[in-house]
Structures are given as structure tokens and as C-alpha cells.
């Protein structure tokens, strides 16, 4: 490394060397300006151009077979999906042969880990533990940055109220408050102590905006929503990401009220770069500039480039609309050079902040890459985070935790010995996956050693109609003291372009649960999935259910810890679980309507279905523990508050169970009368507390004016005097309440 740098800087009297020597005392802005002044129009447009490297493609790749030459000519600002130090270095070396030697930026989807794979983001969100989530992003950044990556296309901060949407797995669920806290944590985790450090990745909050509201949950679909819903539900996590210092944003595939996000000036110019004063740059989603032709918003690449650049899309990912059309647009006076300069300035600013002009190879260090390759500490952290992500949905008669002395255990189901399925979508596959990933079978075997006899039967495939394996599963169950069944959807059934109309447990898996349950043996079910699934029979008949999502490299050990009581589950659902697809969208922070449905016994002539409960199967915020928590004595420091006089809400939480445990105490507020109708409740705070068995704690939340604000019909963010209710509890349904007013 050192040798190379000496050669490079010693032998080339380059313009970048000139920058290094003379620009040291300059501010980043001055440095950017001095580069910009030297650039031709084509070189500027080159900075706005991004191509895919050699890895997976999530969209059509435009091939001209001449990427390297374009890099040499300064026609490329960034690449995605180039992996490994060696390859990154090769391409960066070519960039150093270009006239101005402007370094390339290398981006990749580091969504939930790079080498060590962490739980899928929706699973991590279930931890409601921002410090833990930040740590996961921190480790992912450290590993990826050691392998040449400088920029992650994460976090995805799209709110999602529709579990049919495959990309629900990538976000933090349905709630803007929780989503914002997690968005900020992830940005801080990825960016670490700040851009310029060799273990920091630039974050990219995506997909701006409202992508998660695709109609019908169909990926890439249109979005149609009021500005108030946009501001209140879908934009807050983006704003939180920007406030946390996100270096970049990615726009989205969808149109919003008829205008594709990529060509949307309101979103990108007015809100993001205007109101929010965002100084980073916006990258398009894969090909989304060119896709405006399909949308019917642009006639051809020329118009698409015009719309996108005018709207504030700074970098074109893989559509080649900019590289092929911007120059002509400028020459014909359709696009002012100031627009181009603004975009290029934003991109160069980040390259300077990353320190790439000082050392374009700072992320290419083979030793660092190797050090991160098998980092045992990272694996330990992954297990800890995985444990915090598992939601205990049911535990009748305290079936869990299981006794480690149990003699014979039947392990049944298509996920017991699954390997890569433990990782979930958006994870990298490495040749040694089979050795590194701890399967659930191995995890249990590691835990119990020779103490127990483990009987294994697959029972059925994930999505097959054959019941041929049932007999073996039943036989194993009969011989066992307890049955652990591991079920779910395949890991590539959620993720991009993985929307599903049917989100029931697939194939004959629920039939298998019925057949095994008929043995009368106690059954514990693990559900592996990238979204809320529907499994009503299982939920109603089986004694214990753990929703494990996709937990990552250490899945098996983490699950074994929970099953056998070495970790007491503490996670809470970040999204409501529907009873049927017909109930979607179902979310806790809905409006009351003029005919509110308030109970299942009173749902006629109400805002409800006549053939279905008004409740989700499992509500937002729900999750059990081996401990039991009771809430009492909610009280307020005053029953009225003023704008400058916050009040305090306090509740007593007692661990009345037989285990020490962690609880997430949730605060919701309802504004009873507003100039526009307000949700029945909105999450406005949460705290995680640890209680020993028998212990009580008072938990307090400060209610200040900011917690009461909302967007009125003029989109002004303000609080209105009047009556409110506070709710505190362990999920969005079982709550203690107290009234107060804002004077
Ligand atoms: C996805 C983005 C992703 C990009 C690059 C697109 O298809 O929507 O989220 O970052 O591909 O892989």
C-alpha cells in the first residue's frame, strides 16, 4: 500500500497532487470550487454518471463494454457493486489516469451487514434498541469499508403499512416515530465518527419518497397520497436521517401523485434541498431516470435527463440518460450550467469530505480487509443483536424456555437445517457460508451437547404440496418430549421485486403443524420470514411461537439461547400483523372515522368488515417476555400544560414473573379534537428498562409541545390547544391512560 502511494504521488505531477499540496489549508468548499473551475462540461457530467460493476444487478444493465475507457476519460463519477480491495484499486488506478484524476466513489448495498450478516432491518427494528441498531450499522460499515466500499445504499427508511410489499423487510416498519429513531441510529452507525475515517461509509437514506406506499404493496407501483400523510407518516424518517448527517439520499421508482419521484421538484428541490437544507447529493434509483419514459413522464432520454436534473437528481445510476443527453441540454440552453455545477459540487464535496482527493486508495488496504474477514467480535455482536430481534408471540403455560435437561427433542420443518435462508435478502454470499452460518440444528446441538437426543425430520418443503414427509415428522414428534418446528417463507421471497399477494405460511407447512400437533406433544414454532406472515391456525393452537425473521450468520446460536432460557426475549413488533390479506392495510395509528369500530362485538354500521375482527392478529408494539410486566399508577405531573411548560407522565412497571427481563415501555398520545382529524394514538416515546423478578420501576416521559405537533391543513407543523390523552403500556393495545389539556 505504502509503496504504491509513494509511486503514485512521487511519479505523477498531477493536478490532484497539486490540490493536495496547495489546497490543504482551504475549506472543502474552496477545494470544490477550485476543481470545478478546471472541469470541462463533459467532465462535470461524468461526475454525475454511475455504472454498475460486476456484482448482482437489480435492474437492466446497459452495456457498452467500455467502462474502463470512460473512467480514463473522466466520464464516470461512481461505480456500484465493485467488490474487494483488489478490484476497487484497479478501477481507482484507472481513474487516476484521467486528466483531473478525480477519484471514483464506490457504492454498494450494505443493508444488514457485509461479511457478518446481521438480522434483516425489520428484525433489528423489533429490538427497539437504537444503540444496538447503531452498532450493527457500525460493524457493517467497518467490514465493508475495509473491502474498498465507501458508500452504502442504506438505510432504507421507507415506512411500510403493507406486508405484501417485499421490501418491508428492509425498513423499520409502520411507524414514523420509531422509524425516525432507527433511521438516525443507522445513519450514525454507518458514518461512525465522520466521513473521512477509513471505517466510515457514506449513508444513503432511501427511497425518497413514499416508495413504501406503493398501491397494493406491488413493488415499483404508483403512490397516491395527501400531502399531510406524506409529511406526517412518510417523510419524518428521511428528515431524521438528514438531521443525523446522512451524506446522500436515493430517490425512488414510484410516482407520487402522478410525478415520478426522480423527476419530482417538490420532493427534491423544495423539501429536501430547500426546507431541509440538505447539502449532500441525491442518486437516482437504478435506472429510474430512464424509467420516466415508461412512466409516460418523458418522451425519451433527453426529456428524462431534463426532468431529473431540473428536479434535483444529482447522479444517474445506470440509466445513462445524463451521460448521453446532458451536454446537449446545456448547449441548447434547456439546462443551465448552474444546475450542473450544483450537482457536481455536491458530489465533489463528498469526495473531499471522504478524503479521497488526499488518498484515493484509502479504502483499499488488503491488511484491513483481511483483519475484518473473520472477526470473532463481530460475530459475537451479531448473536447479541439477533437475540434482541426475536419476538415472542405466544407462550402458553410457560412452555418456554425449555429445560436444558429435556431428553428427546424433535426438530421438524424446512428451516431446521437451512443455511443461507438464515440470512435473508440483501445479503452477500461467501464461499464459506456453509461453515460460517450457524444453522438452527447446529445452534441447538451446540447448546445441549450430548445431553439431549435430537430427532430431525424436514416434514415438507417450504412451498410444496407434498405431504410425503409428514409421517416421518409425526414419528419423530411421538418419540420426543417436545417438538420445535421451524417454518416460514424462503429468504428470497421478501426483498426487492418480491411482493406477494398471498402472505400465508406457504405450501403445506400449516398442515404439517396440524399433523404434528395431533400427537399431543408440546410444540414450539419458529417463524422465519421477511415480513408479517399469516398463520392463524398455528397462532391459535400451538403453545409457543417465536418470530425469528431472518437473523443472520449466528441465527442458530441466538435461537438456541432463547429456546433454552439463556436469553429472555424482549423484542416488540414494529408492524401490525394482519389476520388475512383482506385486512391490509392495517396499522395502529389510523383515524377514528365518523363510525368508529371500537370492539368486535360492536362492528355493525361501523368502519369494519362484517366478516372479520377489527383487530390485527398481533398489534404494533406487541411482544412477550419470559418475565411478566404489569403497569400501574399512571399519573401526570399536571393535568394541563402550556407550550413552554412540559409535563411529566409516569407509570409504574413491575416484573411479576419468574425471570429477570427487559421491557420496552411505550408512550402514545392522542389529540382528541383537531383542525384536521388526528390518529387514535401515535407513538411519541419509548424506553427500554431491565427489571429483576419482583422489581418495580417508575418510568417517566416528558411531554413537551413538540410531542403534540402535527401538520395542519396548511401543512404548518404546530400544536393546537385542547384535550389530549396519554397512553403508556407494553404494546399499542394494552395501555394505561390519562387525560390532559394544552392551554
Ligand atoms: C434498489 C435500490 C438499490 C439499487 C442498487 C435498486 O434496484 O431499488 O434500493 O440500492 O438497486 O442495487
Amino acid at each position: 500500500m505504502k509503496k504504491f502511494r509513494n509511486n503514485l504521488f512521487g511519479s505523477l505531477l498531477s493536478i490532484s497532487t497539486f490540490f493536495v499540496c496547495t489546497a490543504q489549508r482551504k475549506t472543502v468548499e474552496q477545494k470544490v470550487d477550485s476543481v470545478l473551475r478546471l472541469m470541462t462540461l463533459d467532465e462535470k457530467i461524468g461526475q454525475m454518471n454511475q455504472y454498475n460493476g460486476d456484482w448482482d444487478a437489480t435492474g437492466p444493465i446497459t452495456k457498452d463494454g467500455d467502462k474502463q475507457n470512460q473512467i480514463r476519460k473522466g466520464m464516470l463519477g461512481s461505480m456500484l457493486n465493485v467488490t474487494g480491495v483488489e478490484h476497487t484499486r484497479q478501477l481507482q488506478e484507472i481513474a487516476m489516469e484521467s486528466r483531473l484524476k478525480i477519484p471514483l466513489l464506490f457504492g454498494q448495498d450494505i443493508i444488514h451487514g457485509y461479511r457478518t450478516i446481521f438480522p434483516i432491518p425489520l428484525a433489528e427494528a423489533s429490538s427497539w434498541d437504537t444503540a444496538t441498531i447503531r452498532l450493527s450499522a457500525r460493524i457493517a460499515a467497518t467490514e465493508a469499508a475495509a473491502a474498498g466500499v465507501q458508500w452504502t445504499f442504506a438505510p432504507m427508511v421507507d415506512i411500510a403499512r403493507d406486508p405484501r410489499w417485499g421490501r418491508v423487510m428492509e425498513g423499520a416498519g409502520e411507524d414514523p416515530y420509531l422509524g425516525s429513531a432507527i433511521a438516525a441510529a443507522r445513519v450514525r452507525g454507518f458514518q461512525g465518527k465522520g466521513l473521512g475515517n477509513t471505517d466510515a461509509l457514506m449513508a444513503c437514506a432511501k427511497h425518497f419518497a413514499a416508495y413504501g406506499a406503493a398501491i397494493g404493496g406491488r413493488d415499483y407501483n404508483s403512490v397516491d397520497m395527501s400531502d399531510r400523510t406524506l409529511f406526517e407518516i412518510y417523510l419524518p424518517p428521511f428528515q431524521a436521517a438528514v438531521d443525523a448527517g446522512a451524506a446522500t439520499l436515493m430517490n425512488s421508482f414510484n410516482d407520487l401523485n402522478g410525478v415520478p419521484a426522480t423527476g419530482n421538484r417538490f420532493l427534491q428541490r423544495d423539501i429536501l434541498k430547500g426546507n431541509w437544507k440538505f447539502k449532500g447529493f441525491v442518486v437516482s434509483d437504478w435506472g429510474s431516470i430512464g424509467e420516466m419514459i415508461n412512466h409516460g413522464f418523458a418522451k425519451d432520454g433527453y426529456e428524462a435527463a431534463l426532468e431529473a436534473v431540473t428536479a434535483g437528481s444529482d447522479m444517474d445510476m445506470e440509466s445513462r440518460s445524463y451521460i448521453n443527453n446532458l451536454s446537449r441540454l446545456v448547449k441548447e440552453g434547456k439546462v443551465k450550467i448552474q444546475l450542473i455545477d450544483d450537482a457536481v459540487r455536491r458530489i465533489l464535496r463528498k469526495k473531499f469530505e471522504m478524503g479521497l482527493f488526499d488518498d484515493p486508495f484509502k479504502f483499499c488496504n488488503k491488511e484491513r480487509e483481511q483483519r475484518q474477514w473473520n472477526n470473532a467480535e463481530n460475530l459475537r455482536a451479531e448473536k447479541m443483536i439477533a437475540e434482541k430481534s426475536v419476538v415472542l408471540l405466544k407462550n402458553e403455560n410457560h412452555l418456554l424456555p425449555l429445560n436444558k435437561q429435556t431428553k428427546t427433542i424433535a426438530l421438524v420443518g424446512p428451516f431446521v437445517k437451512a443455511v443461507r435462508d438464515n440470512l435473508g435478502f440483501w445479503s452477500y454470499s461467501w464461499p464459506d457460508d456453509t461453515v460460517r452460518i450457524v444453522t438452527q440444528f447446529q445452534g441447538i446441538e451446540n447448546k445441549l451437547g450430548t445431553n439431549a437426543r435430537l430427532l430431525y425430520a424436514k416434514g415438507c418443503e417450504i412451498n410444496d404440496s407434498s405431504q410425503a414427509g409428514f409421517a416421518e415428522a409425526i414419528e419423530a414428534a411421538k418419540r420426543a418430549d417436545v417438538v420445535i418446528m421451524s417454518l416460514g417463507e424462503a429468504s428470497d421471497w421478501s426483498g426487492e421485486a418480491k411482493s406477494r399477494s398471498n402472505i400465508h405460511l406457504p405450501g403445506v407447512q400449516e398442515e404439517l403443524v396440524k399433523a404434528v400437533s395431533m400427537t399431543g406433544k408440546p410444540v414450539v414454532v419458529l417463524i422465519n420470514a421477511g415480513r408479517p406472515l399469516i398463520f392463524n391456525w398455528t397462532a391459535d393452537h400451538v403453545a409457543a411461537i417465536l418470530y425469528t425473521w431472518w437473523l443472520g450468520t449466528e441465527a442458530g446460536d441466538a435461537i438456541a439461547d432463547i429456546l433454552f432460557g439463556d436469553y429472555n426475549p424482549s423484542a416488540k413488533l414494529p408492524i401490525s400483523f394482519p389476520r388475512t390479506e383482506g385486512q391490509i392495510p392495517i396499522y395502529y395509528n389510523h383515524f377514528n372515522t365518523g363510525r368508529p369500530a371500537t370492539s368486535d362485538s360492536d362492528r355493525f354500521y361501523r368502519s369494519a368488515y362484517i366478516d372479520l375482527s377489527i383487530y390485527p392478529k398481533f398489534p404494533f408494539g406487541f411482544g412477550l417476555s419470559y418475565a411478566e410486566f404489569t403497569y400501574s399508577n399512571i399519573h401526570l405531573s399536571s393535568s394541563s400544560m402550556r407550550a413552554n411548560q412540559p409535563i411529566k407522565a409516569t407509570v409504574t412497571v413491575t416484573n411479576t414473573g419468574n425471570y429477570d427481563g427487559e421491557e420496552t415501555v411505550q408512550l402514545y398520545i392522542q389529540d382528541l379534537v383537531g383542525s384536521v382529524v388526528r390518529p387514535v394514538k401515535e407513538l411519541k416515546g419509548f424506553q427500554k428498562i431491565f427489571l429483576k423478578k419482583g422489581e418495580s420501576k417508575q418510568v417517566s416521559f416528558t411531554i413537551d409541545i413538540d410531542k403534540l405537533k402535527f401538520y395542519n391543513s396548511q401543512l404548518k407543523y404546530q400544536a393546537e390547544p385542547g384535550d389530549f390523552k396519554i397512553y403508556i403500556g407494553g404494546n399499542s393495545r394494552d395501555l394505561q391512560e390519562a387525560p390532559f389539556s394544552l392551554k
Side-chain angles (χ1 to χ4, degrees):
M1 167 71 181
K2 212 166 186 175
K3 188 156 172 268
F4 184 86
R5 281 189 57 193
N6 287 344
N7 285 346
L8 177 82
F9 291 107
S11 62
L12 298 172
L13 182 61
S14 66
I15 296 176
S16 72
T17 312
F18 169 80
F19 295 143
V20 172
C21 300
T22 61
Q24 233 124 41
R25 289 173 308 276
K26 289 183 178 171
T27 63
V28 165
E29 294 308 308
Q30 289 167 329
K31 292 179 193 177
V32 168
D33 281 338
S34 56
V35 181
L36 204 61
R37 272 197 294 274
L38 298 170
M39 295 173 82
T40 64
L41 176 61
D42 284 346
E43 283 166 338
K44 288 178 182 176
I45 294 166
Q47 286 304 303
M48 300 166 70
N49 187 27
Q50 186 191 52
Y51 291 156
N52 185 56
D54 47 7
W55 195 260
D56 295 334
T58 49
I61 304 174
T62 44
K63 282 200 175 119
D64 64 5
D66 197 20
K67 281 180 196 159
Q68 302 201 354
N69 212 19
Q70 293 193 46
I71 299 174
R72 210 166 274 121
K73 288 200 287 194
M75 305 305 288
L76 198 64
S78 171
M79 298 197 79
L80 72 151
N81 296 335
V82 172
T83 43
V85 158
E86 242 164 72
H87 196 186
T88 311
R89 174 180 285 279
Q90 279 163 11
L91 292 164
Q92 195 68 294
E93 278 172 12
I94 299 174
M96 290 302 108
E97 291 169 26
S98 67
R99 190 179 78 89
L100 291 180
K101 307 188 186 327
I102 299 177
L104 287 169
L105 261 182
F106 293 94
Q108 200 162 315
D109 292 284
I110 310 299
I111 308 290
H112 54 114
Y114 177 71
R115 169 74 172 147
T116 308
I117 302 300
F118 290 94
I120 58 168
L122 188 62
E124 281 188 355
S126 310
S127 72
W128 294 49
D129 188 330
T130 51
T132 294
I133 291 169
R134 186 171 169 166
L135 174 67
S136 147
R138 183 84 292 281
I139 295 172
T142 307
E143 290 185 354
V149 183
Q150 304 152 352
W151 177 22
T152 173
F153 304 125
M156 190 194 96
V157 303
D158 295 308
I159 295 297
R161 291 169 156 182
D162 191 331
R164 292 171 300 181
W165 189 46
R167 301 197 79 167
V168 72
M169 55 79 56
E170 271 178 75
E174 76 185 35
D175 183 69
Y177 184 91
L178 180 63
S180 298
I182 292 175
R186 290 198 164 121
V187 168
R188 295 200 173 102
F190 286 130
Q191 298 192 168
K193 293 210 176 84
L195 305 187
N197 289 294
T198 46
D199 65 355
L201 296 181
M202 295 203 305
C204 180
K206 68 189 189 183
H207 305 84
F208 196 65
Y211 183 40
I215 295 170
R218 238 163 52 225
D219 211 358
Y220 314 123
N221 205 4
S222 293
V223 172
D224 203 83
M225 69 167 60
S226 72
D227 283 347
R228 277 196 347 92
T229 302
L230 176 70
F231 275 76
E232 216 159 274
I233 307 292
Y234 290 87
L235 291 186
F238 285 99
Q239 195 166 3
V242 169
D243 290 347
T248 68
L249 256 75
M250 183 185 290
N251 58 33
S252 53
F253 290 123
N254 57 287
D255 73 88
L256 174 63
N257 306 329
V259 180
T262 307
N264 201 310
R265 294 175 212 184
F266 174 57
L267 285 174
Q268 299 181 121
R269 291 252 178 245
D270 299 349
I271 298 175
L272 177 64
K273 294 178 177 174
N275 296 353
W276 297 355
K277 302 186 171 51
F278 175 63
K279 291 278 176 290
F281 69 88
V282 178
V283 62
S284 79
D285 202 346
W286 186 296
S288 68
I289 298 181
E291 286 177 16
M292 288 199 290
I293 303 169
N294 288 345
H295 276 284
F297 192 70
K299 191 168 71 173
D300 48 24
Y302 179 83
E303 272 190 23
L306 171 63
E307 292 296 344
V309 80
T310 310
S313 298
D314 301 308
M315 187 180 277
D316 175 359
M317 182 190 286
E318 265 294 339
S319 93
R320 304 194 182 207
S321 307
Y322 281 180
I323 201 74
N324 292 334
N325 299 288
L326 274 186
S327 170
R328 208 178 113 211
L329 281 161
V330 173
K331 285 176 189 148
E332 290 175 357
K334 298 263 175 49
V335 170
K336 290 212 171 66
I337 189 69
Q338 286 84 344
L339 274 193
I340 305 288
D341 283 353
D342 175 58
V344 177
R345 190 172 273 120
R346 288 168 180 275
I347 294 164
L348 292 180
R349 191 181 285 145
K350 292 303 158 201
K351 292 189 176 182
F352 271 110
E353 286 172 10
M354 293 290 283
L356 293 172
F357 278 95
D358 295 333
D359 178 1
F361 301 99
K362 65 189 284 189
F363 290 86
C364 298
N365 180 321
K366 201 81 198 134
E367 276 163 45
R368 215 166 39 228
E369 185 179 39
Q370 265 156 14
R371 253 201 327 273
Q372 289 302 331
W373 197 241
N374 274 318
N375 186 325
E377 207 180 309
N378 294 355
L379 284 173
R380 278 195 293 277
E382 152 29 32
K383 177 160 144 297
M384 179 271 287
I385 296 170
E387 288 170 354
K388 285 175 180 266
S389 305
V390 175
V391 189
L392 178 63
L393 291 179
K394 192 173 179 189
N395 194 19
E396 250 171 32
N397 304 324
H398 304 286
L399 175 58
L400 290 175
L402 299 174
N403 189 330
K404 284 182 194 155
Q405 305 312 320
T406 311
K407 287 217 162 45
T408 309
I409 302 174
L411 299 173
V412 174
F415 291 90
V416 170
K417 290 195 171 175
V419 183
R420 289 216 81 257
D421 263 328
N422 287 295
L423 305 187
F425 203 79
W426 290 119
S427 50
Y428 297 97
S429 114
W430 306 110
D432 58 354
D433 272 355
T434 40
V435 183
R436 272 171 63 86
I437 299 168
V438 185
T439 67
Q440 298 171 16
F441 187 92
Q442 276 163 1
I444 294 168
E445 208 174 36
N446 293 344
K447 172 78 50 197
L448 301 180
T450 48
N451 279 355
R453 201 149 65 98
L454 302 183
L455 308 174
Y456 168 69
K458 193 170 192 185
C460 63
E461 299 298 330
I462 298 172
N463 187 30
D464 196 356
S465 54
S466 168
Q467 302 192 357
F470 279 26
E472 190 193 4
I474 293 166
E475 200 42 46
K478 279 185 182 155
R479 286 164 50 209
D481 303 306
V482 63
V483 190
I484 299 171
M485 299 187 71
S486 192
L487 313 169
E489 63 176 355
S491 63
D492 59 356
W493 280 23
S494 61
E496 184 175 349
K498 300 291 184 289
S499 294
R500 292 177 57 204
S501 65
N502 173 350
I503 59 168
H504 278 68
L505 206 51
V508 289
Q509 294 185 70
E510 210 154 36
E511 298 304 315
L512 180 65
V513 182
K514 289 180 197 168
V516 168
S517 297
M518 293 288 283
T519 61
K521 291 296 166 79
V523 176
V524 178
V525 166
L526 311 173
I527 299 186
N528 306 260
R531 55 158 63 80
L533 290 180
I534 296 166
F535 43 95
N536 293 325
W537 194 92
T538 303
D540 294 342
H541 295 89
V542 156
I545 302 172
L546 287 165
Y547 214 78
T548 64
W549 312 101
W550 300 115
L551 290 177
T553 315
E554 289 285 312
D557 282 336
I559 288 172
D561 273 1
I562 292 179
L563 286 169
F564 295 95
D566 288 334
Y567 181 82
N568 182 356
S570 59
K572 303 276 186 175
L573 297 177
I575 185 166
S576 309
F577 274 43
R579 287 166 189 268
T580 77
E581 291 84 0
Q583 213 178 22
I584 300 170
I586 184 162
Y587 45 89
Y588 84 93
N589 49 355
H590 58 83
F591 294 148
N592 233 347
T593 81
R595 295 190 175 191
T598 51
S599 81
D600 271 346
S601 53
D602 180 23
R603 61 169 190 251
F604 298 94
Y605 292 101
R606 300 276 158 201
S607 174
Y609 296 105
I610 56 171
D611 56 352
L612 192 60
S613 163
I614 65 167
Y615 302 111
K617 192 73 185 166
F618 298 101
F620 174 81
F622 176 80
L624 302 170
S625 159
Y626 298 152
E628 271 161 48
F629 301 104
T630 45
Y631 286 72
S632 59
N633 283 336
I634 186 168
H635 62 275
L636 302 174
S637 57
S638 165
S639 60
S640 72
M641 68 174 274
R642 292 176 190 281
N644 56 359
Q645 281 173 353
I647 57 172
K648 226 183 189 188
T650 306
V651 75
T652 305
V653 188
T654 307
N655 181 349
T656 49
N658 290 323
Y659 294 84
D660 303 342
E662 195 178 24
E663 169 70 328
T664 305
V665 183
Q666 302 162 35
L667 166 78
Y668 298 85
I669 298 181
Q670 180 185 17
D671 185 346
L672 297 184
V673 181
S675 60
V676 289
V677 293
R678 308 297 310 131
V680 293
K681 58 181 88 98
E682 295 170 282
L683 183 73
K684 291 291 177 181
F686 59 89
Q687 287 179 41
K688 292 188 81 81
I689 56 165
F690 187 84
L691 291 179
K692 290 201 165 309
K693 68 176 176 180
E695 194 187 356
S696 284
K697 252 186 204 160
Q698 289 206 330
V699 179
S700 295
F701 293 93
T702 301
I703 317 295
D704 59 18
I705 191 80
D706 283 341
K707 290 209 182 318
L708 310 184
K709 288 183 179 164
F710 63 94
Y711 289 93
N712 69 13
S713 52
Q714 276 78 50
L715 291 183
K716 265 195 147 162
Y717 191 57
Q718 60 179 36
E720 293 174 354
D723 293 334
F724 293 80
K725 259 188 197 172
I726 254 170
Y727 303 90
I728 303 181
N731 65 64
S732 63
R733 259 189 80 179
D734 305 312
L735 297 156
Q736 302 265 309
E737 61 177 80
F740 73 99
S741 61
L742 172 68
K743 298 289 180 210

